Amino acid sequence: MKKIQSTCNYCAIDCNLDFYVEDNKIVKTVPTKGYPVNDGFSCIKGLSLSKQQTTVKPNSLPKIRQKDGSFKEVSWDEAFTHVASELNRIQAEYGTESVAGISTGQLTLEEFAIFGHVMRNYLQTNVDGNTRLCMATAVVAHKQSYGFDAPGYTLKDLELSDTLIFIGSNPVVAHPIVWGRVRQNQVPGHKIIVIDPRKSETAMNADYHYELKPRTDLLLLYTVAHLLIENDYLDHDFIREHTEHFDEFKDFVKTYTLERAVDGTGLSKEQILELVELIHHGKRVSFWWTMGVNQGYEAVRTAQAIINLALMTGNIGKPGTGANSITGQCNAMGSRSFSNTSVFFGGGDFTNPARRKRISEVLGVPDEMLAKKPTATYNQIIEGINEGRIKGLWILCTNPRHSWTNNETFARAAKKLELFVVQDIYDTIESAEDCTVFFPVVPGIKKEGTYINLERRLSAMRPVLKREENEISDYEAVLGVGKALGMGDALKGWETPKDCFNLMRECSRNMPCDFTGVTWEALEESHGIQWPYPEGKEENNKEEQRRLYSDGQFFTPSGKAQFVFEEVRENPYPPTEEFPYVFNTGRGSVGQWHTQSRTKEVKFVEDVSVKKAYLYMNEKLAREHDIHWMDEIRVYSVNGENAVFAVKTTDEVPYDQLYAPIHYVECNKLTPSNYDPYSKEPNYKGATVRFEKC
Ligand SMILES: Nc1nc2c(c(=O)[nH]1)N[C@H]1C(S)=C(S)[C@@H](COP(=O)(O)OP(=O)(O)OC[C@H]3O[C@@H](n4cnc5c(=O)[nH]c(N)nc54)[C@H](O)[C@@H]3O)O[C@H]1N2
Ligand SMILES: Nc1nc2c(c(=O)[nH]1)N[C@H]1C(S)=C(S)[C@@H](COP(=O)(O)OP(=O)(O)OC[C@H]3O[C@@H](n4cnc5c(=O)[nH]c(N)nc54)[C@H](O)[C@@H]3O)O[C@H]1N2
Ligand code: SF4
Ligand SMILES: [Mo]
């Protein structure tokens, strides 16, 4: 029996697991002991990775749709030639930007890097990622406030903090290892505080739950800032030495009075004052935010309002502190700096001449071949298809027919495409229904590459199982199309994932995410390595759990963090007589993963999962409408669509909200085409609806 250590490719924790293999079958999966992230623990999804060995069809070949609508299986070479010639044809006929890609935060660093090289550099077109649906808000907030997209914390901070504040974050369900680390917190009297408009599983386990009205976080956070200032609960030295624009911020928050916040958030005066005191009395206060913050119409400013609280109280860069964005997908952190979508590989602007020169040298291609501007955003790509400007789309490792906001707009778009390549490990996903080409690729357990987790830790994915005939990886599929496009020397140095890793490593040199001290081999069987880890400075970075900003230095030109703020906006979808209920959406259970393509295969999960779309409704509201457990209702959304859901009644969701798990395609039928103005992340948790009993 062989033991192979690899990385779980579901959530952003990136647990490491030891796979025991016999006759090319996984016989046992054991969470890696001593691994600094999950140390011998994991959740059901990681433990069930082995289940995918039987469900992905062996020996499958790519398929091309024929004129009569049927599919024909072809060789990989034929498929590569077909896709390359269609990409060329469409660009020649309709213009360079008439083809686009949608990438992901769930592939390896090397896979989305090569996709970025082929599409963004060589074809000079647009590729956005499903990370737009998830982390874009945190990225923009970090860049503006810190000067680089660099979350500073390490998971150890969860154990060292005496005041942990979770805002729009439900780790009990979504990040079980984060919650496990909270449970290991030994600081006497430590307090867990949750800000969430419903009693989430995390709120149920917290010491304090502030059940504010949906979408009123920014108002609350500015008010808290105002009260901290009024009471002089500030770290003046930190503000003076390490931040800019505090005085303007101080003036700005003056109008955010307690009365205004009580009225807007629905919290009581006492609750808001209590929260202010909790922050003040904490010696090590940490703020943790996830999708309740990122997915909103004023999301970037809300994330920055959290950062502002940490800055003004000096709760940053020290053990157990920080304004900490929790990442969603296994390699969302990697995709943010290495997918070539909104920044160059390793970070830096497409318009910076020095950065262009450096990247062109490392990649060995002329400057003209490098991407010239950040990508068109996800919503612009879908709109572009629906408006007839984009005719070709290639998606990999994401299922937008289900997950995209107002998802009927994607369904319409898919039907308009002349070329629609879907690259996935299942041909049964909703997005594949209208594809013109399907690329079946192997799952994580059969491939190699690098992941970066939520605390900037690189870890190695290594093949656990050998591949069968015709089985290829995402990397090889993209490389195959690149070669068929005639990229020639532009693919020199990209031959294998390891070669690509070395290119990316060079691209990171002297950037905040510098990992030039990490080698492909050193990552294997390792404890993972957090960036930064520059070559020649390995000695300084020996500690296994490191945080950024301990010297108070940020990545802005002045080295100081920025207070960024703006007046609260009007809610685009306030509850009205016609649409009185807020349609809140999010994760349903620890076992279910997004669009369920993968976790449907796991018997332990499937056996306890509801088979049809459902939502949670307050008991009193249900009684008033004579609705009983699992009765069906039709829900009408402000976006003009409607869908049927079964009802689970509960007191954990307030009277004026419905909570729908995202694991059913009906959920995003009802979410709006509405985005944060800066990050363009969808306002997924803010639609309003009405309903009637079926
Ligand atoms: N089991 C499982 N785990 C997962 C995933 C999965 O699909 N399944 N997905 C992974 C991914 S990619 C991500 S991004 C993360 C997401 O992780 P989380 O963001 O923690 O999960 P969500 O359920 O989307 O949303 C968190 C909370 O936001 C709250 N919320 C809604 N509106 C508001 C508001 O206006 N203000 C505040 N303060 N809160 C609000 C919701 O009630 C919900 O409890 O989970 C990751 N982990
Ligand atoms: N209403 C609402 N909608 C949301 C959210 C919300 O909170 N509310 N959350 C949003 C967030 S945060 C996210 S991250 C998105 C997630 O949305 P998606 O990315 O669309 O969801 P997944 O189901 O993770 O899709 C991943 C796909 O990759 C495939 N896959 C798995 N492994 C591999 C592989 O190795 N190679 C390839 N090529 N394919 C593979 C899977 O079969 C699956 O089809 O959903 C977003 N949608
Ligand atoms: S899904 Fe997340 S918490 Fe669960 S095993 Fe995988 S990495 Fe760990
Ligand atoms: Mo996500």
Side-chain angles (χ1 to χ4, degrees):
M1 197 157 54
K2 241 186 359 192
K3 185 190 97 174
I4 299 152
Q5 182 184 329
S6 191
T7 307
C8 171
N9 64 343
Y10 279 106
C11 90
I13 302 288
D14 291 3
C15 290
N16 267 220
L17 303 157
D18 296 336
F19 294 93
Y20 291 82
V21 179
E22 220 169 49
D23 297 333
N24 210 27
K25 288 229 158 19
I26 300 168
V27 292
K28 192 167 70 171
T29 308
V30 183
T32 307
K33 248 191 129 29
Y35 193 72
V37 169
N38 60 309
D39 189 16
F41 291 91
S42 83
C43 82
I44 183 76
K45 297 189 290 302
L47 283 180
S48 311
L49 278 168
S50 61
K51 302 298 171 225
Q52 275 172 4
Q53 61 188 323
T54 53
T55 52
V56 178
K57 272 191 268 152
N59 308 320
S60 27
L61 283 167
K63 297 186 288 193
I64 300 179
R65 191 165 318 258
Q66 306 298 295
K67 285 214 169 71
D68 66 0
S70 66
F71 274 115
K72 184 178 161 207
E73 265 195 5
V74 297
S75 70
W76 277 106
D77 278 342
E78 197 178 333
F80 295 151
T81 309
H82 173 79
V83 170
S85 70
E86 279 295 281
L87 288 168
N88 281 334
R89 176 188 68 77
I90 293 171
Q91 282 194 313
E93 212 166 306
Y94 304 104
T96 313
E97 295 187 37
S98 62
V99 296
I102 297 178
S103 174
T104 181
Q106 292 178 59
L107 288 178
T108 67
L109 184 78
E110 297 79 9
E111 287 165 342
F112 41 63
I114 191 168
F115 193 54
H117 185 49
V118 173
M119 298 288 284
R120 300 268 302 127
N121 289 342
Y122 188 72
L123 293 180
Q124 289 285 308
T125 193
N126 298 297
V127 169
D128 204 9
N130 66 357
T131 38
R132 182 74 61 186
L133 321 182
C134 181
M135 300 313 299
T137 290
V139 171
V140 178
H142 289 154
K143 276 200 212 160
Q144 292 178 350
S145 297
Y146 300 153
F148 196 80
D149 177 21
Y153 65 97
T154 183
L155 285 168
K156 186 84 185 157
D157 289 319
L158 291 158
E159 295 168 16
L160 302 175
S161 179
D162 62 14
T163 309
L164 299 99
I165 308 180
F166 291 92
I167 309 171
S169 183
N170 189 14
V172 168
V173 166
H175 295 94
I177 296 296
V178 163
W179 188 249
R181 301 288 292 255
V182 173
R183 283 299 187 214
Q184 283 176 48
N185 186 313
Q186 298 289 320
V187 180
H190 70 272
K191 296 185 175 60
I192 301 168
I193 298 156
V194 169
I195 301 176
D196 195 305
R198 67 177 182 121
K199 198 166 179 192
S200 67
E201 291 77 357
T202 307
M204 289 174 206
N205 285 287
D207 301 302
Y208 301 84
H209 175 207
Y210 298 110
E211 196 176 275
L212 78 182
K213 285 188 200 161
R215 319 280 89 183
T216 61
D217 299 73
L218 192 56
L219 177 60
L220 174 67
L221 295 166
Y222 284 156
T223 308
V224 169
H226 170 68
L227 294 168
L228 287 168
I229 293 168
E230 226 176 30
N231 288 312
D232 198 22
Y233 291 167
L234 303 174
D235 185 335
H236 291 284
D237 291 344
F238 188 88
I239 294 171
R240 194 178 48 250
E241 283 161 33
H242 303 298
T243 73
E244 284 176 339
H245 307 297
F246 178 69
D247 288 338
E248 294 98 304
F249 181 61
K250 191 170 153 186
D251 267 355
F252 165 81
V253 291
K254 276 189 182 139
T255 58
Y256 288 85
T257 60
L258 192 52
E259 293 67 32
R260 189 176 162 193
V262 168
D263 190 41
T265 64
L267 297 174
S268 69
K269 207 164 135 180
E270 291 70 29
Q271 282 179 302
I272 298 172
L273 290 171
E274 180 185 61
L275 177 59
V276 171
E277 291 300 321
L278 283 165
I279 295 173
H280 173 58
H281 289 294
K283 301 262 178 306
R284 293 172 164 191
V285 183
S286 58
F287 301 85
W288 306 85
W289 87 80
T290 320
M291 293 306 125
V293 169
N294 282 359
Q295 298 170 337
Y297 60 85
E298 52 185 5
V300 170
R301 294 294 176 255
T302 306
Q304 286 167 325
I306 299 171
I307 293 173
N308 294 345
L309 292 183
L311 294 174
M312 66 202 281
T313 56
N315 277 300
I316 199 156
K318 300 176 200 136
T321 67
N324 305 328
S325 145
I326 303 179
T327 306
Q329 305 168 85
C330 46
N331 206 6
M333 196 63 227
S335 84
R336 283 148 68 168
S337 299
F338 295 96
S339 65
N340 212 23
T341 58
S342 56
V343 287
F344 269 129
F345 300 127
D349 294 338
F350 296 108
T351 49
N352 177 336
R355 194 66 191 142
R356 292 193 73 81
K357 184 159 180 285
R358 172 78 189 144
I359 298 288
S360 93
E361 278 165 10
V362 174
L363 302 186
V365 297
D367 184 306
E368 311 82 74
M369 199 187 277
L370 300 180
K372 299 192 175 51
K373 55 184 184 191
T375 179
T377 51
Y378 204 129
N379 62 308
Q380 289 169 339
I381 292 175
I382 308 307
E383 285 155 18
I385 301 170
N386 277 319
E387 287 159 15
R389 282 176 281 113
I390 296 176
K391 305 282 190 185
L393 182 70
W394 181 359
I395 66 171
L396 35 89
C397 201
T398 185
N399 187 7
R401 170 65 186 89
H402 181 138
S403 58
W404 177 237
T405 195
N406 202 354
N407 63 21
E408 290 292 319
T409 61
F410 189 90
R412 284 197 284 280
K415 293 196 190 324
K416 294 193 171 158
L417 290 164
E418 294 180 16
L419 172 73
F420 181 19
V421 185
V422 173
Q423 179 169 322
D424 206 279
I425 59 175
Y426 298 103
D427 58 6
T428 46
I429 58 166
E430 293 95 339
S431 301
E433 265 163 41
D434 288 306
C435 71
T436 63
V437 178
F438 185 80
F439 280 0
V441 284
V442 295
I445 46 177
K446 292 190 176 176
K447 60 188 191 184
E448 59 183 359
T450 313
Y451 279 85
I452 307 182
N453 83 348
L454 71 178
E455 42 151 22
R456 313 178 313 283
R457 185 180 305 273
L458 287 84
S459 68
M461 169 178 271
R462 290 295 178 261
V464 174
L465 299 179
K466 284 204 221 49
R467 300 201 215 142
E468 314 281 333
E469 198 192 343
N470 296 325
E471 288 191 336
I472 75 166
S473 68
D474 288 275
Y475 193 88
E476 290 156 352
V478 179
L479 186 67
V481 174
K483 283 184 183 160
L485 280 166
M487 283 177 72
D489 278 355
L491 284 172
K492 230 167 123 199
W494 293 84
E495 287 79 6
T496 64
K498 182 177 165 182
D499 296 328
C500 174
F501 173 86
N502 287 331
L503 288 177
M504 291 307 110
R505 190 170 156 239
E506 257 330 300
C507 289
S508 79
R509 190 176 291 278
N510 297 325
M511 299 301 286
C513 57
D514 191 329
F515 68 87
T516 46
V518 183
T519 64
W520 180 264
E521 289 75 19
L523 273 186
E524 285 168 7
E525 306 271 319
S526 75
H527 281 184
I529 301 173
Q530 285 177 291
W531 66 250
Y533 198 77
E535 200 173 30
K537 302 229 172 89
E538 290 85 350
E539 271 304 301
N540 308 349
N541 293 304
K542 262 188 158 159
E543 201 167 336
E544 245 180 17
Q545 309 217 28
R546 287 178 289 125
R547 66 187 61 77
L548 300 174
Y549 311 128
S550 52
D551 55 359
Q553 286 303 300
F554 295 85
F555 300 110
T556 52
S558 62
K560 295 182 176 189
Q562 307 292 303
F563 279 90
V564 188
F565 47 90
E566 184 180 325
E567 295 292 353
V568 296
R569 286 168 185 252
E570 216 175 293
N571 185 346
Y573 305 107
T576 58
E577 224 170 275
E578 191 185 1
F579 298 108
Y581 307 104
V582 175
F583 188 69
N584 187 358
T585 67
R587 277 73 199 156
S589 71
V590 175
Q592 289 168 295
W593 182 254
H594 298 148
T595 70
Q596 292 201 89
S597 60
R598 299 172 74 190
T599 47
K600 247 185 211 156
E601 301 287 341
V602 182
K603 208 162 165 13
F604 314 111
V605 174
E606 193 53 8
D607 285 354
V608 296
S609 298
V610 182
K611 303 291 177 292
K612 56 183 175 183
Y614 71 96
L615 52 71
Y616 291 95
M617 180 185 284
N618 181 275
E619 300 266 7
K620 179 164 173 272
L621 183 62
R623 265 198 310 277
E624 283 174 11
H625 292 263
D626 193 28
I627 291 168
H628 302 274
W629 185 257
M630 292 311 269
D631 277 355
E632 288 191 340
I633 59 169
R634 185 171 291 279
V635 182
Y636 296 85
S637 165
V638 68
N639 78 350
E641 302 284 351
N642 65 79
V644 173
F645 293 81
V647 175
K648 288 196 182 195
T649 51
T650 174
D651 274 336
E652 262 97 51
V653 172
Y655 180 84
D656 51 3
Q657 277 174 51
L658 302 172
Y659 181 75
I662 61 171
H663 313 295
Y664 306 86
V665 71
E666 288 84 349
C667 173
N668 277 321
K669 192 170 182 200
L670 305 189
T671 49
S673 296
N674 178 245
Y675 314 94
D676 175 87
Y678 306 105
S679 67
K680 301 292 178 205
E681 179 155 340
N683 179 11
Y684 271 127
K685 296 176 172 10
T688 48
V689 295
R690 69 167 187 277
F691 62 84
E692 62 193 30
K693 211 175 151 180
C694 288

